[in-house]
Amino acid sequence: MLTHDAALRWIARWDRQQEGYLPDREERFTALIDAVEALGRPDPLVIDLGCGPGSLAARLLERLPKATVVAVDADPLLIGLGRAAYPHVTFVPADLRTPGWTEALGLDHPADAAVSTTALHWISPEDLERVFVEVARVLRPGGVLLNGDHMETGDATPELARLELAVHTRQTERAFGANPPEDWRAWWDAITADPDFAALDAERSTAGAAHHGSESHLLSQHVHALREAGFKEVGTLWQRGHNRLLCAVRG
C-alpha cells in the first residue's frame, strides 16, 4: 500500500526535478492562483488539466480552502500518487485527447476556471483545439483558462525568441550552477523501480500516458487553438523568458 507520507516524499522529489526545468515554478504557481483568486469567488470550481500528482491543485486549496478542484490526468501512477497525498482533491483519470472526457468530471455546475502547468505542450495542435473546445463547454461565461508553460515565439519573432531562451537559460544557471536536480527521466526510472508502484506502472502502457516530445511548443499554436475554441480574450498575465502564464477568457 502506498502511504500518505511516502506519496508526499515522491511528490516533493517530483517538484524538485520540475524546478530543474523551471527555477521560477513557485512564482508561476503564485501568479496563476492570484488570477483564480481575482475572479472574486471564495469557493471557485477549478479543473486542473494534466494535473500530474496534484502539485498545483494542492497549492490552490492551500490558498482557497473552500474551492473545489477536479484534477484530470491520463497517467495512473501520477493519479495514484495524488490520491494518496491529497485526499481533498478529486482526481479523475482521463485522456484529454479523447472526445467527451469532460463527461467524466461529474460537474453539477459550470467551472470558474481551468488551469494547467507544464502539461499541454505534450498535445498536438489539432488535439489542443479539441481540448479547448471541451473546456469551453464546461466553463461559465467569463470563466478563464490559465495555462503556464514554455511557449516559444520563433515562428513570429525569432530574435525575441532567442533572447527569451537566453533569459531562461541564464536564470537556470544562476539557480543550479553545476548541480542541477535530477531530470524527468531519472525520476521516472526511480519510481518505476519501486515495487510499490509495479501495478500502477503496468497500467501506464494502456492509459494514453506516454509522452512523445513537445508537440505544441509555440505560443501561436496555443493562441490559435484558444480563439478557434471561442475564447474571446487571450493574453499573457506573467512571463519570464519563454516561460509564460497564458490566460484566455470564455465568451
Side-chain angles (χ1 to χ4, degrees):
M1 290 291 293
L2 177 61
T3 68
H4 174 76
D5 288 344
L8 287 175
R9 286 194 297 272
W10 275 110
I11 292 174
R13 187 169 168 179
W14 167 272
D15 287 342
R16 180 62 175 164
Q17 63 89 4
Q18 288 285 291
E19 287 171 358
Y21 302 98
L22 291 160
D24 47 9
R25 184 171 181 254
E26 291 296 335
E27 185 178 337
R28 194 175 72 187
F29 278 150
T30 298
L32 187 154
I33 297 167
D34 285 345
V36 174
E37 189 173 37
L39 295 174
R41 291 189 60 97
D43 58 346
L45 173 57
V46 182
I47 306 166
D48 186 357
L49 308 171
C51 63
S55 299
L56 173 58
R59 286 161 177 77
L60 266 163
L61 287 170
E62 287 174 3
R63 177 90 71 84
L64 297 167
K66 294 182 181 180
T68 298
V69 181
V70 181
V72 187
D73 204 284
D75 195 307
L77 191 152
L78 296 179
I79 289 277
L81 269 180
R83 284 173 170 165
Y86 306 124
H88 48 309
V89 176
T90 300
F91 286 92
V92 176
D95 187 336
L96 299 178
R97 298 166 297 186
T98 301
W101 59 268
T102 51
E103 297 172 10
L105 303 183
L107 305 183
D108 59 6
H109 63 278
D112 299 287
V115 300
S116 186
T117 58
T118 322
L120 300 183
H121 65 269
W122 294 110
I123 298 176
S124 71
E126 296 77 15
D127 285 331
L128 196 62
E129 184 177 327
R130 289 190 282 269
V131 169
F132 291 153
V133 168
E134 288 268 352
V135 170
R137 288 176 183 153
V138 295
L139 278 179
R140 64 169 173 81
V144 298
L145 187 147
L146 296 158
N147 180 23
D149 214 332
H150 289 129
M151 301 179 205
E152 300 172 10
T153 60
D155 59 326
T157 54
E159 186 58 22
L160 281 177
R162 185 187 71 81
L163 294 172
E164 287 172 354
L165 180 58
V167 167
H168 172 76
T169 300
R170 294 190 179 191
Q171 183 195 12
T172 303
E173 291 169 349
R174 282 192 298 270
F176 302 114
N179 298 296
E182 69 178 339
D183 63 15
W184 186 86
R185 174 45 54 196
W187 186 91
W188 275 107
D189 287 345
I191 199 167
T192 55
D194 186 329
D196 287 344
F197 294 93
L200 290 172
D201 186 40
E203 291 181 37
R204 299 187 75 241
S205 61
T206 58
H211 294 159
H212 303 289
S214 185
E215 298 192 55
S216 295
H217 65 284
L218 295 173
L219 175 64
S220 61
Q221 292 169 323
H222 289 260
V223 171
H224 175 77
L226 286 162
R227 293 202 181 280
E228 288 297 305
F231 287 86
K232 65 178 182 179
E233 296 181 25
V234 182
T236 298
L237 288 183
W238 175 96
Q239 177 181 352
R240 180 170 289 157
H242 66 320
N243 178 15
R244 307 170 193 275
L245 176 60
L246 193 64
C247 180
V249 182
R250 183 189 180 280

